[in-house]
Amino acid sequence: MNSIPSPQLISLHGGHSGDFCQHADNSLEEIVRAYIDRGFGWVGITEHAPPPSDGFLYPDEKDAGLTSDLLQQRFHQYMATCRLLQKKYAAQIDILVGFETEGYTGASPFTIELVHTYRPDFIVGSIHHVNDVNFDYDAAFYRQAAATAGGVDALYLQYFDAQYELITTLRPPVIGHFDLVRIYDGAYQRRLLKPDIEKRIDRNLHAIKRFGLFLDLNVRAIQKGASEPYVSRPILLKALSLGIPVVPGDDAHSVAEVGRHVKDGVRLLGELGFSVRWQELVGQLKRLG
């Protein structure tokens, strides 16, 4: 009897590099070659979108003396480099050229401009801010964002409301780390079950289903000490019941991180009953993009 072949490795939310991200290491070409060397069939290169103004620079970007204009110039070079690498390594790996959105004031119209200008293969829709305050940079920023929102419960509510607006406005083919808002919340498992929060989660999942979008199973959370990836298991089961495709993303920020925990993510998806027929799913994603 023939054995069923293992699914080819894939990361749709990955490929940050030291060339184009302050908190990453190694060149983008080194990152791509690492994916090839580690047996990946597909990879999404999804660098952060540049900010439309200096008010939304990250602390490490400010420390490096960068400005929004400089980051926009760097993004132009990023897209050009991605296209060159896409052609150079086409025989060895299917590279999907994309970028990751933000969710602060003015981000959506600016993202639309970037899409029209650069025509990426796809985008990853992510929220890292609530009330224009970044919450995932470190625990102090998280506390500040929660205080601005009116508490941690309110932070969750506003996060999922911002995510819903992103989903319905941009319809990004991939929704990045769906429940990232739990990043510094030790009580997230109970909090996700609170009626007002769960109602918003269900609303957002139904919108994702309605528009035919994908969820990113972001396994970098495990590397950073979390007990499970984004998306957490109860939300994954909801997504499964709705028939929402879920695809692993390593969110790699260096050669050392390429592929880390992706096999764990593939195993989890297979055990839960998700499709791991990546070729079929990537074809669907390309049509969305």
Side-chain angles (χ1 to χ4, degrees):
M1 184 175 68
N2 293 329
S3 61
I4 299 173
S6 299
Q8 199 168 23
L9 293 176
I10 183 172
S11 175
L12 278 185
H13 183 14
H16 297 283
S17 70
D19 287 341
F20 304 108
C21 178
Q22 291 307 116
H23 53 277
D25 296 307
N26 304 113
S27 72
L28 184 54
E29 184 160 14
E30 287 171 330
I31 298 286
V32 168
R33 290 185 63 86
Y35 282 111
I36 294 169
D37 292 344
R38 292 169 197 178
F40 279 70
W42 293 272
V43 64
I45 306 298
T46 54
E47 196 52 81
H48 295 281
S53 67
D54 289 352
F56 295 108
L57 294 170
Y58 282 92
D60 55 4
E61 294 167 341
K62 293 179 183 178
D63 292 343
L66 294 170
T67 65
S68 58
D69 286 344
L70 288 172
L71 287 172
Q72 289 169 34
Q73 293 171 31
R74 189 169 76 173
F75 184 80
H76 180 81
Q77 184 61 39
Y78 159 73
M79 290 299 295
T81 301
C82 279
R83 291 302 186 192
L84 288 173
L85 294 174
Q86 187 180 47
K87 292 179 181 178
K88 181 175 180 178
Y89 293 104
Q92 296 165 271
I93 191 169
D94 193 347
I95 296 174
L96 302 178
V97 177
F99 65 87
E100 184 178 6
T101 72
E102 299 288 356
Y104 41 64
T105 300
S108 287
F110 188 60
T111 297
I112 292 169
E113 287 182 26
L114 292 174
V115 169
H116 287 163
T117 300
Y118 294 102
R119 301 294 178 182
D121 298 328
F122 77 117
I123 61 174
V124 174
S126 299
I127 300 290
H128 306 92
H129 297 73
V130 169
N131 294 323
D132 290 345
V133 178
N134 175 265
F135 63 82
D136 76 327
Y137 191 79
D138 60 26
F141 272 83
Y142 190 87
R143 290 192 295 270
Q144 181 184 347
T148 303
V152 178
D153 280 13
L155 180 70
Y156 274 65
L157 297 177
Q158 292 174 37
Y159 170 86
F160 285 115
D161 284 346
Q163 186 182 70
Y164 181 74
E165 181 179 355
L166 182 149
I167 292 167
T168 55
T169 300
L170 296 179
R171 301 186 188 181
V174 177
I175 306 302
H177 38 58
F178 180 89
D179 53 353
L180 180 65
V181 68
R182 66 176 168 88
I183 185 169
Y184 294 109
D185 178 19
Y188 78 86
Q189 291 173 322
R190 288 188 290 106
R191 207 177 310 276
L192 289 171
L193 296 176
K194 291 191 173 185
D196 285 348
I197 295 172
E198 189 170 31
K199 181 179 179 181
R200 283 166 169 78
I201 290 169
D202 291 344
R203 175 200 61 192
N204 291 11
L205 289 174
H206 278 88
I208 289 167
K209 172 63 177 178
R210 184 165 71 251
F211 296 131
L213 311 179
F214 286 54
L215 280 178
D216 158 47
L217 185 73
N218 195 295
V219 297
R220 191 165 189 254
I222 300 172
Q223 174 203 318
K224 297 181 77 172
S227 61
E228 60 181 335
Y230 309 111
V231 187
S232 59
R233 190 182 185 94
I235 300 175
L236 271 180
L237 293 174
K238 289 175 182 285
L240 180 65
S241 70
L242 290 171
I244 296 172
V246 181
V247 181
D250 60 11
D251 206 353
H253 282 62
S254 68
V255 165
E257 294 178 3
V258 166
R260 190 176 292 177
H261 299 296
V262 167
K263 289 182 179 179
D264 297 328
V266 171
R267 188 180 307 111
L268 172 63
L269 293 175
E271 289 172 353
L272 292 179
F274 284 94
S275 173
V276 292
R277 296 176 63 181
W278 306 132
Q279 189 165 2
E280 176 183 312
L281 293 177
V282 171
Q284 180 182 338
L285 178 70
K286 287 180 175 179
R287 289 190 293 273
L288 283 173

PDB file of all heavy atoms in Angstrom, residues 17-46:
ATOM      1  N   SER A  17      13.464  40.436   6.930  1.00  0.00           N
ATOM      2  CA  SER A  17      14.921  40.381   6.810  1.00  0.00           C
ATOM      3  C   SER A  17      15.552  41.652   7.346  1.00  0.00           C
ATOM      4  O   SER A  17      14.912  42.710   7.433  1.00  0.00           O
ATOM      5  CB  SER A  17      15.329  40.199   5.344  1.00  0.00           C
ATOM      6  OG  SER A  17      15.059  41.384   4.599  1.00  0.00           O
ATOM      7  N   GLY A  18      16.838  41.545   7.667  1.00  0.00           N
ATOM      8  CA  GLY A  18      17.588  42.696   8.143  1.00  0.00           C
ATOM      9  C   GLY A  18      17.744  43.781   7.096  1.00  0.00           C
ATOM     10  O   GLY A  18      18.033  44.932   7.431  1.00  0.00           O
ATOM     11  N   ASP A  19      17.556  43.432   5.827  1.00  0.00           N
ATOM     12  CA  ASP A  19      17.619  44.437   4.761  1.00  0.00           C
ATOM     13  C   ASP A  19      16.510  45.471   4.889  1.00  0.00           C
ATOM     14  O   ASP A  19      16.706  46.645   4.551  1.00  0.00           O
ATOM     15  CB  ASP A  19      17.484  43.773   3.385  1.00  0.00           C
ATOM     16  CG  ASP A  19      18.717  43.006   2.965  1.00  0.00           C
ATOM     17  OD1 ASP A  19      19.796  43.253   3.539  1.00  0.00           O
ATOM     18  OD2 ASP A  19      18.596  42.158   2.054  1.00  0.00           O
ATOM     19  N   PHE A  20      15.343  45.019   5.379  1.00  0.00           N
ATOM     20  CA  PHE A  20      14.163  45.881   5.303  1.00  0.00           C
ATOM     21  C   PHE A  20      13.371  45.972   6.601  1.00  0.00           C
ATOM     22  O   PHE A  20      12.267  46.515   6.615  1.00  0.00           O
ATOM     23  CB  PHE A  20      13.241  45.379   4.174  1.00  0.00           C
ATOM     24  CG  PHE A  20      13.933  45.307   2.842  1.00  0.00           C
ATOM     25  CD1 PHE A  20      14.268  44.084   2.284  1.00  0.00           C
ATOM     26  CD2 PHE A  20      14.275  46.459   2.156  1.00  0.00           C
ATOM     27  CE1 PHE A  20      14.926  44.013   1.059  1.00  0.00           C
ATOM     28  CE2 PHE A  20      14.926  46.400   0.930  1.00  0.00           C
ATOM     29  CZ  PHE A  20      15.256  45.179   0.378  1.00  0.00           C
ATOM     30  N   CYS A  21      13.906  45.434   7.682  1.00  0.00           N
ATOM     31  CA  CYS A  21      13.206  45.458   8.971  1.00  0.00           C
ATOM     32  C   CYS A  21      14.232  45.672  10.074  1.00  0.00           C
ATOM     33  O   CYS A  21      15.223  44.941  10.143  1.00  0.00           O
ATOM     34  CB  CYS A  21      12.453  44.140   9.186  1.00  0.00           C
ATOM     35  SG  CYS A  21      11.597  44.017  10.767  1.00  0.00           S
ATOM     36  N   GLN A  22      13.998  46.655  10.947  1.00  0.00           N
ATOM     37  CA  GLN A  22      14.967  46.999  11.977  1.00  0.00           C
ATOM     38  C   GLN A  22      15.164  45.886  12.998  1.00  0.00           C
ATOM     39  O   GLN A  22      16.235  45.753  13.581  1.00  0.00           O
ATOM     40  CB  GLN A  22      14.547  48.281  12.702  1.00  0.00           C
ATOM     41  CG  GLN A  22      14.626  49.535  11.855  1.00  0.00           C
ATOM     42  CD  GLN A  22      15.968  49.724  11.196  1.00  0.00           C
ATOM     43  OE1 GLN A  22      16.073  49.704   9.971  1.00  0.00           O
ATOM     44  NE2 GLN A  22      17.004  49.889  11.983  1.00  0.00           N
ATOM     45  N   HIS A  23      14.098  45.099  13.261  1.00  0.00           N
ATOM     46  CA  HIS A  23      14.209  44.063  14.281  1.00  0.00           C
ATOM     47  C   HIS A  23      14.370  42.670  13.670  1.00  0.00           C
ATOM     48  O   HIS A  23      13.964  41.670  14.249  1.00  0.00           O
ATOM     49  CB  HIS A  23      12.998  44.100  15.234  1.00  0.00           C
ATOM     50  CG  HIS A  23      11.667  44.044  14.553  1.00  0.00           C
ATOM     51  ND1 HIS A  23      11.045  45.143  14.033  1.00  0.00           N
ATOM     52  CD2 HIS A  23      10.817  43.004  14.348  1.00  0.00           C
ATOM     53  CE1 HIS A  23       9.883  44.794  13.516  1.00  0.00           C
ATOM     54  NE2 HIS A  23       9.725  43.492  13.689  1.00  0.00           N
ATOM     55  N   ALA A  24      14.986  42.618  12.471  1.00  0.00           N
ATOM     56  CA  ALA A  24      15.272  41.340  11.816  1.00  0.00           C
ATOM     57  C   ALA A  24      16.759  41.281  11.474  1.00  0.00           C
ATOM     58  O   ALA A  24      17.481  42.268  11.570  1.00  0.00           O
ATOM     59  CB  ALA A  24      14.431  41.179  10.556  1.00  0.00           C
ATOM     60  N   ASP A  25      17.208  40.089  11.077  1.00  0.00           N
ATOM     61  CA  ASP A  25      18.617  39.870  10.734  1.00  0.00           C
ATOM     62  C   ASP A  25      18.718  39.165   9.383  1.00  0.00           C
ATOM     63  O   ASP A  25      17.742  38.580   8.894  1.00  0.00           O
ATOM     64  CB  ASP A  25      19.305  39.007  11.799  1.00  0.00           C
ATOM     65  CG  ASP A  25      19.364  39.694  13.159  1.00  0.00           C
ATOM     66  OD1 ASP A  25      19.854  40.835  13.219  1.00  0.00           O
ATOM     67  OD2 ASP A  25      18.908  39.092  14.147  1.00  0.00           O
ATOM     68  N   ASN A  26      19.921  39.208   8.806  1.00  0.00           N
ATOM     69  CA  ASN A  26      20.258  38.541   7.555  1.00  0.00           C
ATOM     70  C   ASN A  26      19.616  39.240   6.359  1.00  0.00           C
ATOM     71  O   ASN A  26      18.653  39.989   6.491  1.00  0.00           O
ATOM     72  CB  ASN A  26      19.856  37.061   7.571  1.00  0.00           C
ATOM     73  CG  ASN A  26      20.461  36.309   8.730  1.00  0.00           C
ATOM     74  OD1 ASN A  26      19.755  35.863   9.635  1.00  0.00           O
ATOM     75  ND2 ASN A  26      21.774  36.185   8.746  1.00  0.00           N
ATOM     76  N   SER A  27      20.190  38.978   5.191  1.00  0.00           N
ATOM     77  CA  SER A  27      19.655  39.585   3.962  1.00  0.00           C
ATOM     78  C   SER A  27      18.417  38.835   3.505  1.00  0.00           C
ATOM     79  O   SER A  27      18.208  37.663   3.871  1.00  0.00           O
ATOM     80  CB  SER A  27      20.706  39.563   2.859  1.00  0.00           C
ATOM     81  OG  SER A  27      20.894  38.230   2.380  1.00  0.00           O
ATOM     82  N   LEU A  28      17.627  39.490   2.682  1.00  0.00           N
ATOM     83  CA  LEU A  28      16.423  38.828   2.173  1.00  0.00           C
ATOM     84  C   LEU A  28      16.785  37.626   1.319  1.00  0.00           C
ATOM     85  O   LEU A  28      16.121  36.586   1.382  1.00  0.00           O
ATOM     86  CB  LEU A  28      15.574  39.823   1.377  1.00  0.00           C
ATOM     87  CG  LEU A  28      14.239  39.291   0.861  1.00  0.00           C
ATOM     88  CD1 LEU A  28      13.394  38.692   1.987  1.00  0.00           C
ATOM     89  CD2 LEU A  28      13.453  40.407   0.155  1.00  0.00           C
ATOM     90  N   GLU A  29      17.844  37.729   0.542  1.00  0.00           N
ATOM     91  CA  GLU A  29      18.242  36.582  -0.275  1.00  0.00           C
ATOM     92  C   GLU A  29      18.689  35.417   0.605  1.00  0.00           C
ATOM     93  O   GLU A  29      18.382  34.253   0.303  1.00  0.00           O
ATOM     94  CB  GLU A  29      19.357  36.953  -1.255  1.00  0.00           C
ATOM     95  CG  GLU A  29      19.726  35.801  -2.178  1.00  0.00           C
ATOM     96  CD  GLU A  29      20.442  36.230  -3.439  1.00  0.00           C
ATOM     97  OE1 GLU A  29      20.893  37.399  -3.503  1.00  0.00           O
ATOM     98  OE2 GLU A  29      20.567  35.404  -4.363  1.00  0.00           O
ATOM     99  N   GLU A  30      19.373  35.705   1.699  1.00  0.00           N
ATOM    100  CA  GLU A  30      19.753  34.636   2.627  1.00  0.00           C
ATOM    101  C   GLU A  30      18.517  33.974   3.228  1.00  0.00           C
ATOM    102  O   GLU A  30      18.483  32.744   3.416  1.00  0.00           O
ATOM    103  CB  GLU A  30      20.643  35.204   3.733  1.00  0.00           C
ATOM    104  CG  GLU A  30      22.047  35.553   3.278  1.00  0.00           C
ATOM    105  CD  GLU A  30      22.842  36.301   4.332  1.00  0.00           C
ATOM    106  OE1 GLU A  30      22.240  37.033   5.142  1.00  0.00           O
ATOM    107  OE2 GLU A  30      24.082  36.160   4.341  1.00  0.00           O
ATOM    108  N   ILE A  31      17.517  34.760   3.518  1.00  0.00           N
ATOM    109  CA  ILE A  31      16.259  34.217   4.050  1.00  0.00           C
ATOM    110  C   ILE A  31      15.613  33.295   3.019  1.00  0.00           C
ATOM    111  O   ILE A  31      15.195  32.169   3.338  1.00  0.00           O
ATOM    112  CB  ILE A  31      15.295  35.363   4.427  1.00  0.00           C
ATOM    113  CG1 ILE A  31      15.880  36.253   5.528  1.00  0.00           C
ATOM    114  CG2 ILE A  31      13.933  34.819   4.816  1.00  0.00           C
ATOM    115  CD1 ILE A  31      15.890  35.656   6.896  1.00  0.00           C
ATOM    116  N   VAL A  32      15.533  33.752   1.773  1.00  0.00           N
ATOM    117  CA  VAL A  32      14.928  32.936   0.710  1.00  0.00           C
ATOM    118  C   VAL A  32      15.698  31.639   0.533  1.00  0.00           C
ATOM    119  O   VAL A  32      15.103  30.549   0.425  1.00  0.00           O
ATOM    120  CB  VAL A  32      14.882  33.733  -0.620  1.00  0.00           C
ATOM    121  CG1 VAL A  32      14.546  32.812  -1.793  1.00  0.00           C
ATOM    122  CG2 VAL A  32      13.852  34.854  -0.526  1.00  0.00           C
ATOM    123  N   ARG A  33      17.014  31.711   0.515  1.00  0.00           N
ATOM    124  CA  ARG A  33      17.815  30.498   0.344  1.00  0.00           C
ATOM    125  C   ARG A  33      17.622  29.536   1.515  1.00  0.00           C
ATOM    126  O   ARG A  33      17.646  28.308   1.337  1.00  0.00           O
ATOM    127  CB  ARG A  33      19.289  30.866   0.183  1.00  0.00           C
ATOM    128  CG  ARG A  33      19.599  31.558  -1.138  1.00  0.00           C
ATOM    129  CD  ARG A  33      21.095  31.795  -1.302  1.00  0.00           C
ATOM    130  NE  ARG A  33      21.812  30.526  -1.355  1.00  0.00           N
ATOM    131  CZ  ARG A  33      21.989  29.817  -2.466  1.00  0.00           C
ATOM    132  NH1 ARG A  33      21.494  30.252  -3.613  1.00  0.00           N
ATOM    133  NH2 ARG A  33      22.647  28.681  -2.432  1.00  0.00           N
ATOM    134  N   ALA A  34      17.396  30.079   2.708  1.00  0.00           N
ATOM    135  CA  ALA A  34      17.140  29.210   3.857  1.00  0.00           C
ATOM    136  C   ALA A  34      15.835  28.452   3.687  1.00  0.00           C
ATOM    137  O   ALA A  34      15.738  27.269   4.034  1.00  0.00           O
ATOM    138  CB  ALA A  34      17.115  30.033   5.141  1.00  0.00           C
ATOM    139  N   TYR A  35      14.811  29.120   3.151  1.00  0.00           N
ATOM    140  CA  TYR A  35      13.552  28.412   2.877  1.00  0.00           C
ATOM    141  C   TYR A  35      13.770  27.286   1.870  1.00  0.00           C
ATOM    142  O   TYR A  35      13.227  26.178   2.024  1.00  0.00           O
ATOM    143  CB  TYR A  35      12.490  29.385   2.349  1.00  0.00           C
ATOM    144  CG  TYR A  35      11.830  30.227   3.413  1.00  0.00           C
ATOM    145  CD1 TYR A  35      12.049  31.598   3.502  1.00  0.00           C
ATOM    146  CD2 TYR A  35      10.960  29.653   4.334  1.00  0.00           C
ATOM    147  CE1 TYR A  35      11.443  32.373   4.469  1.00  0.00           C
ATOM    148  CE2 TYR A  35      10.339  30.421   5.311  1.00  0.00           C
ATOM    149  CZ  TYR A  35      10.589  31.779   5.371  1.00  0.00           C
ATOM    150  OH  TYR A  35       9.984  32.535   6.344  1.00  0.00           O
ATOM    151  N   ILE A  36      14.552  27.556   0.850  1.00  0.00           N
ATOM    152  CA  ILE A  36      14.839  26.523  -0.150  1.00  0.00           C
ATOM    153  C   ILE A  36      15.592  25.360   0.494  1.00  0.00           C
ATOM    154  O   ILE A  36      15.226  24.184   0.323  1.00  0.00           O
ATOM    155  CB  ILE A  36      15.658  27.116  -1.314  1.00  0.00           C
ATOM    156  CG1 ILE A  36      14.824  28.140  -2.084  1.00  0.00           C
ATOM    157  CG2 ILE A  36      16.139  26.004  -2.248  1.00  0.00           C
ATOM    158  CD1 ILE A  36      15.626  28.967  -3.075  1.00  0.00           C
ATOM    159  N   ASP A  37      16.633  25.676   1.248  1.00  0.00           N
ATOM    160  CA  ASP A  37      17.464  24.637   1.865  1.00  0.00           C
ATOM    161  C   ASP A  37      16.669  23.781   2.845  1.00  0.00           C
ATOM    162  O   ASP A  37      17.009  22.598   3.056  1.00  0.00           O
ATOM    163  CB  ASP A  37      18.648  25.277   2.597  1.00  0.00           C
ATOM    164  CG  ASP A  37      19.654  25.919   1.649  1.00  0.00           C
ATOM    165  OD1 ASP A  37      19.604  25.617   0.440  1.00  0.00           O
ATOM    166  OD2 ASP A  37      20.469  26.742   2.120  1.00  0.00           O
ATOM    167  N   ARG A  38      15.621  24.340   3.442  1.00  0.00           N
ATOM    168  CA  ARG A  38      14.844  23.610   4.444  1.00  0.00           C
ATOM    169  C   ARG A  38      13.589  22.968   3.871  1.00  0.00           C
ATOM    170  O   ARG A  38      12.719  22.515   4.608  1.00  0.00           O
ATOM    171  CB  ARG A  38      14.532  24.540   5.625  1.00  0.00           C
ATOM    172  CG  ARG A  38      15.820  24.874   6.374  1.00  0.00           C
ATOM    173  CD  ARG A  38      15.717  25.984   7.388  1.00  0.00           C
ATOM    174  NE  ARG A  38      17.073  26.443   7.706  1.00  0.00           N
ATOM    175  CZ  ARG A  38      17.360  27.443   8.536  1.00  0.00           C
ATOM    176  NH1 ARG A  38      16.389  28.105   9.140  1.00  0.00           N
ATOM    177  NH2 ARG A  38      18.617  27.783   8.746  1.00  0.00           N
ATOM    178  N   GLY A  39      13.508  22.929   2.543  1.00  0.00           N
ATOM    179  CA  GLY A  39      12.488  22.118   1.896  1.00  0.00           C
ATOM    180  C   GLY A  39      11.138  22.777   1.708  1.00  0.00           C
ATOM    181  O   GLY A  39      10.136  22.080   1.491  1.00  0.00           O
ATOM    182  N   PHE A  40      11.082  24.082   1.731  1.00  0.00           N
ATOM    183  CA  PHE A  40       9.804  24.765   1.545  1.00  0.00           C
ATOM    184  C   PHE A  40       9.440  24.833   0.070  1.00  0.00           C
ATOM    185  O   PHE A  40      10.271  25.117  -0.789  1.00  0.00           O
ATOM    186  CB  PHE A  40       9.870  26.183   2.125  1.00  0.00           C
ATOM    187  CG  PHE A  40       9.662  26.231   3.618  1.00  0.00           C
ATOM    188  CD1 PHE A  40      10.632  25.740   4.476  1.00  0.00           C
ATOM    189  CD2 PHE A  40       8.491  26.728   4.155  1.00  0.00           C
ATOM    190  CE1 PHE A  40      10.451  25.757   5.854  1.00  0.00           C
ATOM    191  CE2 PHE A  40       8.288  26.751   5.523  1.00  0.00           C
ATOM    192  CZ  PHE A  40       9.268  26.264   6.375  1.00  0.00           C
ATOM    193  N   GLY A  41       8.168  24.586  -0.220  1.00  0.00           N
ATOM    194  CA  GLY A  41       7.682  24.683  -1.587  1.00  0.00           C
ATOM    195  C   GLY A  41       7.161  26.066  -1.914  1.00  0.00           C
ATOM    196  O   GLY A  41       7.234  26.512  -3.060  1.00  0.00           O
ATOM    197  N   TRP A  42       6.620  26.748  -0.908  1.00  0.00           N
ATOM    198  CA  TRP A  42       6.061  28.083  -1.074  1.00  0.00           C
ATOM    199  C   TRP A  42       6.463  28.949   0.110  1.00  0.00           C
ATOM    200  O   TRP A  42       6.567  28.467   1.236  1.00  0.00           O
ATOM    201  CB  TRP A  42       4.533  28.051  -1.133  1.00  0.00           C
ATOM    202  CG  TRP A  42       3.971  27.378  -2.330  1.00  0.00           C
ATOM    203  CD1 TRP A  42       3.681  27.933  -3.548  1.00  0.00           C
ATOM    204  CD2 TRP A  42       3.596  26.007  -2.446  1.00  0.00           C
ATOM    205  NE1 TRP A  42       3.166  27.002  -4.399  1.00  0.00           N
ATOM    206  CE2 TRP A  42       3.102  25.804  -3.751  1.00  0.00           C
ATOM    207  CE3 TRP A  42       3.643  24.922  -1.566  1.00  0.00           C
ATOM    208  CZ2 TRP A  42       2.644  24.565  -4.194  1.00  0.00           C
ATOM    209  CZ3 TRP A  42       3.196  23.691  -2.002  1.00  0.00           C
ATOM    210  CH2 TRP A  42       2.708  23.514  -3.308  1.00  0.00           C
ATOM    211  N   VAL A  43       6.634  30.217  -0.150  1.00  0.00           N
ATOM    212  CA  VAL A  43       6.850  31.156   0.943  1.00  0.00           C
ATOM    213  C   VAL A  43       6.261  32.513   0.553  1.00  0.00           C
ATOM    214  O   VAL A  43       6.377  32.955  -0.592  1.00  0.00           O
ATOM    215  CB  VAL A  43       8.342  31.307   1.293  1.00  0.00           C
ATOM    216  CG1 VAL A  43       9.139  31.901   0.138  1.00  0.00           C
ATOM    217  CG2 VAL A  43       8.521  32.165   2.541  1.00  0.00           C
ATOM    218  N   GLY A  44       5.605  33.134   1.517  1.00  0.00           N
ATOM    219  CA  GLY A  44       5.148  34.502   1.348  1.00  0.00           C
ATOM    220  C   GLY A  44       6.149  35.438   1.997  1.00  0.00           C
ATOM    221  O   GLY A  44       6.504  35.256   3.164  1.00  0.00           O
ATOM    222  N   ILE A  45       6.629  36.406   1.252  1.00  0.00           N
ATOM    223  CA  ILE A  45       7.518  37.427   1.808  1.00  0.00           C
ATOM    224  C   ILE A  45       6.622  38.615   2.171  1.00  0.00           C
ATOM    225  O   ILE A  45       6.004  39.225   1.296  1.00  0.00           O
ATOM    226  CB  ILE A  45       8.602  37.841   0.807  1.00  0.00           C
ATOM    227  CG1 ILE A  45       9.364  36.609   0.305  1.00  0.00           C
ATOM    228  CG2 ILE A  45       9.559  38.840   1.441  1.00  0.00           C
ATOM    229  CD1 ILE A  45      10.100  35.845   1.381  1.00  0.00           C
ATOM    230  N   THR A  46       6.554  38.935   3.456  1.00  0.00           N
ATOM    231  CA  THR A  46       5.516  39.854   3.923  1.00  0.00           C
ATOM    232  C   THR A  46       6.089  40.903   4.871  1.00  0.00           C
ATOM    233  O   THR A  46       5.762  40.934   6.066  1.00  0.00           O
ATOM    234  CB  THR A  46       4.387  39.073   4.617  1.00  0.00           C
ATOM    235  OG1 THR A  46       4.943  38.253   5.663  1.00  0.00           O
ATOM    236  CG2 THR A  46       3.639  38.188   3.642  1.00  0.00           C
TER     237      THR A  46
END
